[in-house]
Amino acid sequence: MKQIAIIGFGNVGKCAYEALQSAPDMDLRCIVEAPGVPVPPSLSGLWTTDTKDIRRFGDVDCAILCLPSRMCPDAAEELMKMGVSTVDAFDIHTEILETKRRLDAVAKQHGAKGVISAGWDPGSDSIIRALMEAMAPRGLSYVDFGPGMSMGHSVAVKAIEGVENALSMTIPAGAGVHRRMVYVQLKPGASLEKVTQAILNDPYFVHDETHVEQVGDVSALLDMGHGVHMTRKGVSGNTHNQLFEFSMRIHNPALTAQMLVNAARAALKQPPGCYSLIEIPVIDLLPGDRGELIRRLV
Amino acid sequence: MKQIAIIGFGNVGKCAYEALQSAPDMDLRCIVEAPGVPVPPSLSGLWTTDTKDIRRFGDVDCAILCLPSRMCPDAAEELMKMGVSTVDAFDIHTEILETKRRLDAVAKQHGAKGVISAGWDPGSDSIIRALMEAMAPRGLSYVDFGPGMSMGHSVAVKAIEGVENALSMTIPAGAGVHRRMVYVQLKPGASLEKVTQAILNDPYFVHDETHVEQVGDVSALLDMGHGVHMTRKGVSGNTHNQLFEFSMRIHNPALTAQMLVNAARAALKQPPGCYSLIEIPVIDLLPGDRGELIRRLV
């Protein structure tokens, strides 16, 4: 059995807790959450507010980082320096490669293993994207997300001054183009105009058509369903018009957390270093006897 | 540049030839085909009828086996013993694991690398099947093939006495159930009733609803388009109703050949041994700089 820590107990952290209950090869050692968050009574024996404290619960093989993307690289580095492997769902696409290289050096120095960007996009979708390109090396791929809540975009809006609560919905417009529908609940006295401008200038929104709407209660709108539709039309060898399509409708944090648990399993099978999911054999994501998996799945 | 041999120059072999033309990291060294097959004039300098003869063309890193499944294991073993790595699209699902184990031992003994069952099913579909199970560890998956020509089933019908030519179409009936539509062109004097009985009793057809129809000219019906529709509905962590779907419409030998070329590239990046595609990172299927691939595809 591998010993696991969950770092961050928000939506993804809670789903990681559930996914670990069903994982036949992993035990939950401890949960790290910021001070001030109410501790569920049944989890008080596993709870700490300080990452440095996790050794108190016994050896930890891998920490599942269920933190906002911005916090993941430093948290991973701190854990790797303690000799703990890490997985995260870091989703800032433009910074994945440099972050992976930075963590790869740390991991190798400390004998740790890391998997970066191991949610669903980046994550499981990355595997399908790479496979589709292999199947048709020339051609065009499109990824359409939604309709669904973007956790990253919603968190970005919540960080804006004057915002009490926010929901950013991703609406697919086809061929990889998206519209953002942002629902904001303002703090007393906040200016909708200022908040709207801050949203439109935020790097998360600056490239997409974005609509901001004020609502009285964001919590009444929350639904964690999400989806993706990936297509590729291209050329295998010299043969045109090869058509590939992948789609899913999923509970977003549940799939993110499930992939993180899978990635933790896979991480511990790799040599020290930091990997993206496309660098890891898919069989390593699964528990159980490898011969049986090959017999059943190949 | 890796040096490649194509073994077998039927539909898949010809498509492998085309896929190699577009591969930036591979050169075609030679083609091995049985005696008696007409040699295309432009390929006569690369042509031989004897596998043992391939060294005459210079070093070969990997041989792409474009042979009927039944011939693949022995051909792979012969080549591995010459120190040549191999890839094949062996599609007899019930024999994959034992064949892989047999070739794994040979490969390790001779420093060769092999990838077995590296077409599209088994092959690229296997990667998606394994990934879907990782995303929702509990649940049900279905694979629906077609409509399209089954090469294996058509070959089985052609081997029946009295059959001049045959086409077996796979018709998806949903939830992994298929109907077989078999079009037969009979030899003079052959009995449709006897041929039909032989088809219905053949192991390839005995489990499926099968219809046999006599036609004057099978060649007028041939279209190498095929397709697949894979679905999984299952549970991520403790969250039900997660829905996943993959489908493609493809030219069958072109995709098989493209995957074989990808697998040859990947094989040469592995330690000696014989692998299925789910044991190989998808990034290894692609040419080019790994950092650039990660930046673009993760």
Side-chain angles (χ1 to χ4, degrees):
Chain A
M1 299 294 278
K2 300 299 183 183
Q3 303 303 323
I4 306 295
I6 294 174
I7 316 292
F9 207 65
N11 292 320
V12 174
K14 284 170 191 149
C15 288
Y17 173 79
E18 291 175 354
L20 284 172
Q21 307 284 306
S22 305
D25 52 348
M26 296 181 189
D27 280 333
L28 176 62
R29 268 277 200 245
C30 61
I31 296 168
V32 182
E33 179 52 289
V37 174
V39 185
S42 65
L43 300 176
S44 59
L46 301 172
W47 200 271
T48 175
T49 56
D50 186 354
T51 300
K52 290 183 188 65
D53 198 38
I54 66 173
R55 289 295 190 209
R56 177 161 65 81
F57 299 87
D59 279 345
V60 170
D61 297 302
C62 188
I64 298 178
L65 307 187
C66 304
L67 300 168
S69 281
R70 282 276 168 227
M71 295 173 67
C72 284
D74 287 349
E77 183 165 340
E78 179 184 3
L79 284 152
M80 286 175 172
K81 285 180 173 169
M82 296 164 65
V84 176
S85 297
T86 67
V87 297
D88 65 57
F90 184 78
D91 71 351
I92 305 168
H93 283 262
T94 52
E95 297 176 18
I96 291 171
L97 183 60
E98 67 190 62
T99 306
K100 183 182 112 74
R101 285 177 172 161
R102 167 187 155 195
L103 293 177
D104 189 61
V106 178
K108 283 176 174 152
Q109 201 183 336
H110 297 275
K113 298 102 181 265
V115 183
I116 189 175
S117 304
W120 58 267
D121 201 317
S124 47
D125 281 1
S126 313
I127 294 174
I128 291 162
R129 199 151 39 227
L131 181 61
M132 282 185 177
E133 180 162 317
M135 292 192 283
R138 284 178 291 152
L140 282 169
S141 290
Y142 293 114
V143 184
D144 293 298
F145 295 104
M149 173 182 173
S150 166
M151 296 199 284
H153 288 77
S154 298
V155 167
V157 177
K158 284 185 212 177
I160 288 171
E161 200 185 320
V163 175
E164 176 71 37
N165 201 356
L167 164 66
S168 177
M169 290 292 289
T170 306
I171 310 296
V177 175
H178 297 90
R179 209 166 66 223
R180 308 285 172 185
M181 301 294 293
V182 183
Y183 302 90
V184 288
Q185 179 181 335
L186 297 185
K187 287 180 178 163
S191 149
L192 177 62
E193 195 184 335
K194 277 188 188 164
V195 165
T196 300
Q197 272 312 315
I199 292 170
L200 297 180
N201 292 329
D202 189 284
Y204 265 95
F205 294 92
V206 75
H207 298 298
D208 298 329
E209 179 193 332
T210 300
H211 300 259
V212 180
E213 192 175 315
Q214 186 176 359
V215 298
D217 179 11
V218 160
S219 67
L221 312 179
L222 294 184
D223 158 29
M224 298 211 175
H226 213 314
V228 78
H229 185 212
M230 303 170 70
T231 58
R232 184 169 180 83
K233 184 167 88 65
V235 185
S236 308
N238 201 22
T239 302
H240 294 242
N241 206 29
Q242 306 280 80
L243 302 170
F244 306 90
E245 198 171 344
F246 174 77
S247 59
M248 59 183 184
R249 287 300 312 165
I250 45 92
H251 182 284
N252 188 350
L255 181 57
T256 303
Q258 182 67 61
M259 283 304 298
L260 286 171
V261 166
N262 298 336
R265 175 181 294 122
L268 298 172
K269 296 173 186 167
Q270 311 307 312
C274 182
Y275 305 84
S276 61
L277 279 184
I278 67 173
E279 297 168 273
I280 291 178
V282 289
I283 196 173
D284 290 354
L285 299 172
L286 293 162
D289 178 72
R290 288 172 85 86
E292 191 47 46
L293 290 170
I294 291 166
R295 194 192 303 278
R296 200 158 52 73
L297 295 171
V298 171
Chain B
M1 297 296 276
K2 300 299 182 183
Q3 303 301 325
I4 306 296
I6 293 174
I7 316 293
F9 208 65
N11 292 320
V12 174
K14 284 170 190 149
C15 288
Y17 174 79
E18 291 176 353
L20 284 172
Q21 307 284 305
S22 305
D25 52 348
M26 297 182 188
D27 279 333
L28 177 63
R29 268 281 199 242
C30 61
I31 295 167
V32 182
E33 181 50 290
V37 174
V39 184
S42 64
L43 300 176
S44 60
L46 302 171
W47 200 271
T48 175
T49 56
D50 186 354
T51 299
K52 290 182 188 63
D53 199 37
I54 66 173
R55 289 294 189 206
R56 177 162 65 81
F57 299 87
D59 279 344
V60 170
D61 297 301
C62 188
I64 298 177
L65 307 186
C66 305
L67 301 168
S69 280
R70 282 275 167 230
M71 295 172 68
C72 284
D74 287 351
E77 183 165 341
E78 179 184 5
L79 283 152
M80 285 176 174
K81 284 178 175 171
M82 295 164 67
V84 176
S85 297
T86 67
V87 297
D88 65 56
F90 185 77
D91 70 351
I92 305 169
H93 283 262
T94 51
E95 296 176 17
I96 291 171
L97 182 60
E98 68 190 62
T99 307
K100 184 182 112 73
R101 285 177 171 161
R102 167 186 155 196
L103 292 178
D104 189 60
V106 178
K108 283 175 174 154
Q109 201 183 337
H110 296 275
K113 297 101 181 269
V115 183
I116 187 174
S117 304
W120 58 268
D121 203 318
S124 47
D125 281 0
S126 312
I127 294 175
I128 290 162
R129 204 155 30 231
L131 182 60
M132 282 185 176
E133 180 161 317
M135 292 193 282
R138 284 177 290 153
L140 282 169
S141 290
Y142 293 114
V143 184
D144 292 297
F145 295 103
M149 173 182 172
S150 167
M151 295 200 283
H153 288 77
S154 298
V155 167
V157 177
K158 284 184 210 177
I160 289 170
E161 200 184 321
V163 174
E164 178 69 36
N165 201 356
L167 164 65
S168 177
M169 291 293 287
T170 305
I171 310 296
V177 175
H178 297 90
R179 208 166 67 224
R180 310 285 172 186
M181 302 294 294
V182 184
Y183 302 90
V184 289
Q185 179 181 336
L186 297 184
K187 287 180 177 162
S191 149
L192 177 61
E193 195 184 339
K194 276 188 187 166
V195 165
T196 300
Q197 272 312 313
I199 293 170
L200 298 181
N201 293 329
D202 189 283
Y204 264 95
F205 294 93
V206 75
H207 298 296
D208 297 330
E209 179 192 332
T210 300
H211 301 259
V212 181
E213 193 174 316
Q214 186 175 2
V215 297
D217 179 10
V218 160
S219 67
L221 312 180
L222 294 185
D223 159 29
M224 298 211 177
H226 214 313
V228 78
H229 184 214
M230 303 169 69
T231 58
R232 184 169 181 82
K233 186 167 87 64
V235 185
S236 309
N238 200 23
T239 302
H240 295 243
N241 206 30
Q242 304 281 78
L243 302 170
F244 307 91
E245 199 171 344
F246 173 78
S247 59
M248 60 183 185
R249 288 299 313 164
I250 45 92
H251 182 284
N252 187 352
L255 181 57
T256 302
Q258 182 65 63
M259 283 305 299
L260 286 170
V261 167
N262 299 336
R265 176 180 295 123
L268 297 172
K269 296 173 187 167
Q270 311 307 313
C274 182
Y275 305 84
S276 61
L277 279 184
I278 66 172
E279 298 168 273
I280 290 178
V282 289
I283 196 173
D284 289 354
L285 299 172
L286 293 162
D289 177 72
R290 288 172 84 86
E292 192 46 47
L293 291 169
I294 290 166
R295 194 192 302 280
R296 203 159 50 73
L297 295 170
V298 171

